[in-house]
Amino acid sequence: MSRIGKKAVTVPTGVTANVEGQTVKVKGPKGALQLVLHDDLVAKMDKDGIQIDPRSETKRARSQWGTYRTLVNNLMTGVTKGFEEKLEITGVGYRAAVQGKNLQLQLGYSHDVVYPIPEGIAIVAPKPTEITITGSDKQKVGQVAAEIRGFRPPEPYKGKGVKYVGEYIFRKEGKKK
């Protein structure tokens, strides 16, 4: 039995949610999101909120149960509070700037890296060495952060590159004589 899956997802005030077959639609102050459930699961609206249950007691249905309950909970959090990811740029001459609908990164290459900002995502560069990514879809925010980090991942010798705030970079010792 899934301990997470058993709990109903509460619908906060100011959020409208409805279940149509396998689709859960949520609308709130930060936007509207929807999720299509796995075929082994069924969702229904209660007075408590949205309850996710497995259709059968198969191993696959039980393994998807808690996962999809968490995904529905992330929809609720996304349309009320939103999600945020912060990146940090380390290195001499490395910097970022938002210009219109693009993020311009100078990461030590012979050219600037221009990253078009996707729909539903807001990117702010409060300092030239900091990037803040916000949005209502947790998966999209994380994906954008991973793509930006992928342009110049931190290297283990000097730690230069783009990293998540709070990420630990395992450092190596350089060459010895």
Side-chain angles (χ1 to χ4, degrees), residues 64-119:
Q64 298 292 324
W65 187 14
T67 303
Y68 275 87
R69 188 262 178 211
T70 304
L71 290 175
V72 171
N73 192 40
N74 286 343
L75 295 182
M76 298 297 176
T77 308
V79 296
T80 53
K81 299 177 195 159
F83 292 99
E84 181 180 79
E85 195 73 63
K86 291 186 178 194
L87 298 173
E88 206 171 59
I89 301 173
T90 310
V92 177
Y94 289 16
R95 58 182 161 268
V98 177
Q99 294 179 335
K101 295 230 177 250
N102 293 323
L103 175 69
Q104 190 157 14
L105 300 162
Q106 294 175 347
L107 298 173
Y109 296 118
S110 60
H111 58 282
D112 289 357
V113 177
V114 178
Y115 182 77
I117 300 171
E119 199 68 35

